Amino acid sequence: MLLDLSGVSKDFVSGWFGRRRLTAVSGVSLRLDRGETVAVIGESGSGKSTLGRLALGLLRPTRGRVLFAGQDPARPACGQRNLRKRLQAVFQDADGTLNPRLTARELLLEPLAVHGLLPARPEQTLGALLGMVHLTPDVLARHPFELSGGQRQRIGLARAMSLDPELLVADEPTASLDPSVQARILDILRTLKEERGLACLYISHELHTVRFVADRAVVLYAGHAVEEGGAADVLDAPAHPYTRELVAAARGCPGPGHAPAAPAGPSAARGCPFAADCPEAGAPCLRNMPELRTLTPTHRAACHALA
């Protein structure tokens, strides 16, 4: 097992003397094997990006445990730099992750220089990285603002892959891109998985992309995992009412709809966070938080109506 999140929760405290506490992720468990792609799906505010940052070690969990290759990525230790090399990320905002002062050439070589892996003659390495993401050498002399959005995202992906990581956390890597560019990036991720055995935690609200790249899927609502299983199981036979709503909306047949999920708070912890918007909610849904129930050997959902 490469990545193990066990009962992970993350609280954010604000206000004078920490009087306001918001739980962005609540008791989520997730495992990711080498060469596997697991998608985390849900609407804005569901806790997807926070979960990705916990996996990367950029945030420490308030409760629970995060292990990457048996080590805690959030706690510096001997060999931490080598651990960071094995765990890389691509974020939605390519503009915010690429230094505008550097050229594409400098951006691609920077991670290698930081880790002491810079080759004496980097042209072959640069050519391989550009070929991996379907870019031509003419982009090397350009700054990020001279590149299109799709080119910037692919430079970010090549930059992450320059260190040959074992796990890639891809947080909305195709959002706001043209369909043709989306397809190209998804094809790159699939090829990296097949040829390099790359594991990927793929965070997205675009279900058509999840269907193309993911082996398994986890659905988040208000920080809670409400359904998980094989990607085909979750998308073709959704069991939780919220997942059914997501799938219907993706097909252009939305249901009644609801307000975007707010981070779970102390009051939400007493019952199902989706109860107020669920057409199937009953008295138990308001009193008790449902646990993930096994529907098939590869499919689970947290819903009292499934009891």
Side-chain angles (χ1 to χ4, degrees):
M1 183 186 306
L2 189 62
L3 179 68
D4 182 12
L5 280 69
S6 179
V8 171
S9 297
K10 181 60 183 179
D11 298 339
F12 292 99
V13 178
S14 62
W16 290 102
F17 307 108
R19 286 180 293 185
R20 188 182 182 201
R21 181 181 297 270
L22 295 176
T23 302
V25 172
S26 181
V28 174
S29 296
L30 183 153
R31 293 184 174 184
L32 183 61
D33 292 325
R34 298 178 188 275
E36 184 181 29
T37 298
V38 174
V40 180
I41 59 180
E43 61 194 304
S44 297
S46 60
K48 305 187 303 296
S49 292
T50 299
L51 189 67
R53 283 164 170 75
L54 287 166
L56 286 166
L58 300 178
L59 295 174
R60 290 187 181 182
T62 307
R63 296 172 295 281
R65 183 189 66 184
V66 178
L67 293 178
F68 170 69
Q71 301 181 56
D72 184 349
R75 297 184 180 276
C78 180
Q80 183 75 2
R81 175 173 291 190
N82 182 58
L83 183 69
R84 302 307 308 173
K85 182 171 72 72
R86 300 162 61 192
L87 176 62
Q88 293 293 307
V90 176
F91 297 102
Q92 175 181 350
D93 181 18
D95 293 343
T97 57
L98 300 179
N99 189 333
R101 297 176 178 270
L102 302 182
T103 64
R105 176 190 177 90
E106 293 167 329
L107 288 167
L108 291 175
L109 294 179
E110 184 182 38
L112 295 169
V114 168
H115 287 273
L117 301 173
L118 190 64
R121 296 184 177 182
E123 299 309 318
Q124 184 175 357
T125 299
L126 289 170
L129 290 173
L130 292 176
M132 180 195 309
V133 296
H134 306 165
L135 289 174
T136 54
D138 62 287
V139 304
L140 290 175
R142 301 182 196 174
H143 292 82
F145 59 85
E146 298 175 295
L147 302 172
S148 69
Q151 288 174 325
R152 288 194 295 270
Q153 192 64 283
R154 281 180 282 164
I155 288 293
L157 178 56
R159 178 179 159 92
M161 291 305 302
S162 67
L163 296 172
D164 197 21
E166 298 170 43
L167 172 63
L168 180 71
V169 177
D171 189 354
E172 300 279 10
T174 62
S176 304
L177 297 177
D178 293 336
S180 61
V181 181
Q182 284 188 349
R184 187 168 293 180
I185 290 177
L186 294 174
D187 185 61
I188 292 169
L189 291 176
R190 197 166 182 173
T191 299
L192 290 172
K193 171 188 173 180
E194 293 172 354
E195 295 183 355
R196 297 195 178 194
L198 177 71
C200 182
L201 186 65
Y202 181 79
I203 299 169
S204 181
H205 67 277
E206 300 170 312
L207 301 192
H208 65 283
T209 68
V210 170
R211 189 182 297 277
F212 185 77
V213 299
D215 300 301
R216 293 190 291 117
V218 177
V219 182
L220 294 189
Y221 180 80
H224 297 265
V226 298
E227 189 162 355
E228 64 179 32
D233 295 329
V234 171
L235 298 180
D236 294 336
H240 195 279
Y242 174 64
T243 311
R244 293 202 296 270
E245 185 176 299
L246 281 181
V247 172
R251 291 173 178 168
C253 305
H258 60 274
S267 60
R270 291 194 294 269
C272 175
F274 192 60
D277 299 293
C278 180
E280 303 176 25
C285 305
L286 301 175
R287 293 195 304 264
N288 303 308
M289 181 75 70
E291 297 181 356
L292 286 166
R293 301 175 182 272
T294 299
L295 307 177
T296 72
T298 59
H299 193 184
R300 300 196 300 165
C303 181
H304 289 298
L306 300 174

